[in-house]
Amino acid sequence: MTTTGIRLHAPAPGWSIAADVVVVGSGVAGLTAALRCEAAGLSTVVVTKARLDDGSTRWAQGGIAAALGEGDTPGQHLDDTLVAGAGLCDEEAVRILVTEGPDAVRRLIETGARFDESTAGGLELTREGGHHRRRIAHAGGDATGAEISRALVEAVRARGMRTVENALVLDLLTDAEGRTAGVTLHVMGEGQHDGVGAVHAPAVVLATGGMGQVFSATTNPSVSTGDGVALALRAGAEVSDLEFVQFHPTVLFLGPDAEGQQPLVSEAVRGEGAHLVDADGVRFMVGQHELAELAPRDIVAKGITRRMQEHGAEHMYLDARHFGADMWERRFPTILAACRAHGIDPVTEPVPVAPAAHYASGGVRTDSHGRTTVPGLYACGEVACTGVHGANRLASNSLLEGLVYAERIAADIAAAGLHARVPQPLPHPEVPEHPLQSPEARLTIQRIMTNGAGVLRSADSLTHAADRLERLHADAREALTEHGKTAEPGTDTWEATNLLCVARVLVAAARLREETRGCHWREDHPERDDTAWRRHIVVRLNPDRTLAVRTTDTTHFPTTCPPQAPQEQ
């Protein structure tokens, strides 16, 4: 285990609490891991950046995919996932997902989640892009994430589990042997704790969600600034497949200058029969793929982008006027309300849509038990790279992945006996270890990434992006090393610094992968190259803050860290 010794510039912790496990994040992955750890008798603390029910999960509209319908099988779900992943899925990781998924969903229902039912009394299942079967369970029509979040939050509160809300995680604490010893965090606003503190624990579960805010337009909430990936990199962990950022094909187009979180128009709308059309009403996805509008997301996003280029247009349209008012109000009330709030009525007019950053298929590299390359550090959900998604996530597999792998993490922590070790974290550094970016850098980074590493990429665009990002990095480092100055520690500067960290890694990987595969589209290398590139790109941060980038020999990941049980005295 190689540690970097790098930590964000921040005040020393002014308070601390102790636990067996600290879970960072309160989406489906984080809360499931916390509930399972607590059920195993482990004292568990949940740390979340906003409110407990304010993670990315609650924004999920479509649903959760599992082989629950008549005639469907895990094998069919596996096949669809492998096709969407464009040759880079870890087949064993996918097999775990699809075989353990149905029972995991049933346990979620036992926890209190209420999914929509058909008139016959069973689950009402729908289809989304890349699925050959109706296997998407949904709730409240298009409010699946909100219902799952509600059920899990109620379960956590019912058990009286300790939670720390409005807390931005800063860095991983480690002991002299490089083993996990907890995290530092900053609590924003009033509460039981305030300012920088620490949770001391021998096991840390990262479930911090995505990093969509690295781009100008995204479906992700404002808190999705890549904090978990950046923390893991500073701690010495490896990340993989970060170049594979999924751009959701159908995001409500709010104008060319719109920035920040954009309203999502769920793939389930197309699953129920909506058509993608251009300004002339032509269905341009017909003939491009056997599933037309229900092709995997990378294919649909590329189809929309190509048509936009051909027509010199800023968006295309999603036409579901044939649904009628009753279906819109019953099946998609959330989307209907969002559209109407922006002056668009899907009942009477086509909805303007364009691709926007949506989901990170890569992340902190883990094994099938959620272990990273740092002993005692686990990751699950969007922050993790389990190998399930490959080069492009299959629609509605994300909630299932968070659910399944969170359960596996809890089982591994309990079996390893990590809680018997009392962590002894290394002392807080006396001088700043890592310079901070100014708050203004956030917008600069987002525009660099959108222009250079968005849906369409090339050697020139990526080189330009890399040069500009490295200049931001070098300027901050020079200010610290030569003048002893850095931006004032605070939420906005820590977030901007995390965004720069993940942006540098994403661009480095995208420059190296000279092919088009899944949701990574290189205009200068438009073909898929299995001979040279059917492998993963793995990145870690060196102690001097440079990036160490390598490729794996095959599609299989190297092993990570086995559980580090305490030694008998």
Side-chain angles (χ1 to χ4, degrees):
M1 167 61 196
T2 302
T3 59
T4 67
I6 301 171
R7 287 169 64 174
L8 286 173
H9 178 38
W15 53 268
S16 66
I17 55 180
D20 296 328
V21 183
V22 55
V23 176
V24 187
S26 61
V28 63
L31 294 187
T32 298
L35 287 166
R36 298 294 180 266
C37 285
E38 187 81 8
L42 303 172
S43 65
T44 305
V45 173
V46 176
V47 173
T48 186
K49 194 172 179 180
R51 298 185 305 275
L52 203 58
D53 60 353
D54 209 21
S56 292
T57 290
R58 77 180 183 94
W59 296 99
Q61 294 174 345
I64 185 167
L68 295 163
E70 184 177 352
D72 197 6
T73 66
Q76 294 176 66
H77 190 182
L78 181 142
D79 290 343
D80 286 346
T81 300
L82 295 181
V83 169
L88 274 191
C89 295
D90 182 294
E91 187 166 339
E92 181 55 30
V94 178
R95 196 175 305 280
I96 288 169
L97 178 83
V98 299
T99 55
E100 297 183 10
D103 283 343
V105 173
R106 294 183 185 102
R107 284 188 289 274
L108 181 61
I109 293 171
E110 291 172 0
T111 302
R114 298 187 292 266
F115 291 95
D116 295 340
E117 296 185 350
S118 66
T119 54
L123 288 176
E124 183 180 63
L125 303 175
T126 190
R127 279 182 66 194
E128 292 185 0
H131 293 272
H132 283 79
R133 290 273 187 176
R134 284 186 169 264
R135 66 168 65 98
I136 316 299
H138 50 85
D142 58 357
T144 308
E147 171 57 19
I148 290 174
S149 179
R150 179 205 61 78
L152 292 174
V153 168
E154 285 188 5
V156 164
R157 288 176 172 158
R159 296 190 184 186
M161 196 176 300
R162 190 163 192 174
T163 61
V164 183
E165 297 182 289
N166 300 307
L168 170 63
V169 67
L170 299 177
D171 280 303
L172 187 75
L173 295 171
T174 55
D175 63 16
E177 285 73 45
R179 299 175 301 184
T180 292
V183 293
T184 55
L185 60 152
H186 175 73
V187 179
M188 303 166 278
E190 298 179 1
Q192 186 177 356
H193 301 289
D194 198 7
V196 174
V199 181
H200 296 156
V204 172
V205 180
L206 291 180
T208 50
M211 55 184 190
Q213 289 290 326
V214 78
F215 294 96
S216 297
T218 177
T219 63
N220 290 190
S222 61
V223 295
S224 297
T225 51
D227 307 320
V229 172
L231 173 150
L233 283 163
R234 288 192 295 271
E238 293 181 345
V239 303
S240 186
D241 297 357
L242 225 61
E243 69 271 30
F244 296 116
V245 176
Q246 186 177 82
F247 285 76
H248 197 288
T250 53
V251 175
L252 186 62
F253 181 74
L254 300 180
D257 298 323
E259 294 179 325
Q261 186 179 9
Q262 313 286 304
L264 177 67
V265 182
S266 170
E267 195 152 339
V269 178
R270 281 174 282 138
E272 295 293 351
H275 303 146
L276 281 167
V277 299
D278 59 24
D280 298 322
V282 177
R283 287 183 62 189
F284 55 87
M285 285 305 299
V286 175
Q288 292 197 36
H289 190 276
E290 61 170 336
L291 296 177
E293 284 93 352
L294 286 177
R297 287 178 177 175
D298 64 307
I299 294 172
V300 180
K302 291 171 188 175
I304 291 174
T305 303
R306 285 194 187 102
R307 199 67 164 193
M308 287 163 56
Q309 290 177 326
E310 292 168 1
H311 286 228
E314 295 175 323
H315 61 83
M316 289 289 111
Y317 294 94
L318 189 64
D319 192 351
R321 289 174 290 179
H322 54 284
F323 283 6
D326 288 344
M327 182 172 175
W328 268 109
E329 291 166 1
R330 176 185 63 83
R331 184 66 179 85
F332 302 110
T334 306
I335 299 170
L336 179 63
C339 289
R340 285 177 170 170
H342 291 282
I344 300 159
D345 189 349
V347 177
T348 60
E349 60 186 316
V351 179
V353 294
H358 181 57
Y359 190 89
S361 293
V364 184
R365 186 169 75 81
T366 73
D367 65 8
S368 61
H369 298 281
R371 306 171 193 140
T372 73
T373 51
V374 176
L377 178 65
Y378 295 78
C380 56
E382 190 174 354
V383 70
C385 182
T386 62
V388 159
H389 303 308
N392 185 46
R393 174 178 68 93
L394 181 64
S396 288
N397 268 357
S398 52
L399 291 175
L400 190 71
E401 184 201 29
L403 194 62
V404 168
Y405 281 87
E407 292 189 341
R408 293 179 71 84
I409 285 173
D412 192 75
I413 293 173
L418 296 180
H419 58 285
R421 177 170 65 86
V422 178
Q424 300 294 328
L426 292 171
H428 185 80
E430 295 183 2
V431 296
E433 289 288 340
H434 195 59
L436 301 179
Q437 293 293 312
S438 69
E440 295 76 24
R442 177 171 181 149
L443 186 59
T444 301
I445 294 164
Q446 290 172 333
R447 291 176 175 172
I448 290 171
M449 294 299 290
T450 295
N451 293 331
V455 178
L456 301 180
R457 302 167 178 176
S458 68
D460 288 344
S461 75
L462 290 166
T463 297
H464 184 61
D467 290 345
R468 294 190 65 193
L469 293 172
E470 288 305 317
R471 174 45 52 196
L472 287 173
H473 177 71
D475 286 349
R477 185 172 181 180
E478 181 180 331
L480 178 62
T481 56
E482 295 189 10
H483 307 291
K485 295 181 180 180
T486 186
E488 188 70 22
T491 302
D492 49 1
T493 57
W494 289 320
E495 286 185 334
T497 303
N498 286 339
L499 285 172
L500 179 60
C501 179
V502 297
R504 292 176 65 216
V505 175
L506 192 161
V507 169
R511 290 180 77 188
L512 184 60
R513 184 174 291 281
E514 294 182 329
E515 65 159 356
T516 290
R517 181 186 298 271
C519 52
H520 172 66
W521 189 3
R522 285 283 298 262
E523 292 182 287
D524 51 336
H525 295 280
E527 302 301 323
R528 172 170 154 176
D529 184 355
D530 280 350
T531 301
W533 289 109
R534 196 167 177 229
R535 59 194 66 194
H536 302 279
I537 295 175
V538 178
V539 185
R540 62 178 175 81
L541 189 63
N542 290 321
D544 65 357
R545 302 176 187 84
T546 59
L547 301 178
V549 185
R550 65 183 176 89
T551 60
T552 59
D553 295 329
T554 68
T555 56
H556 299 293
F557 283 130
T559 57
T560 57
C561 289
Q564 302 290 309
Q567 299 292 318
E568 292 186 6
Q569 301 297 319

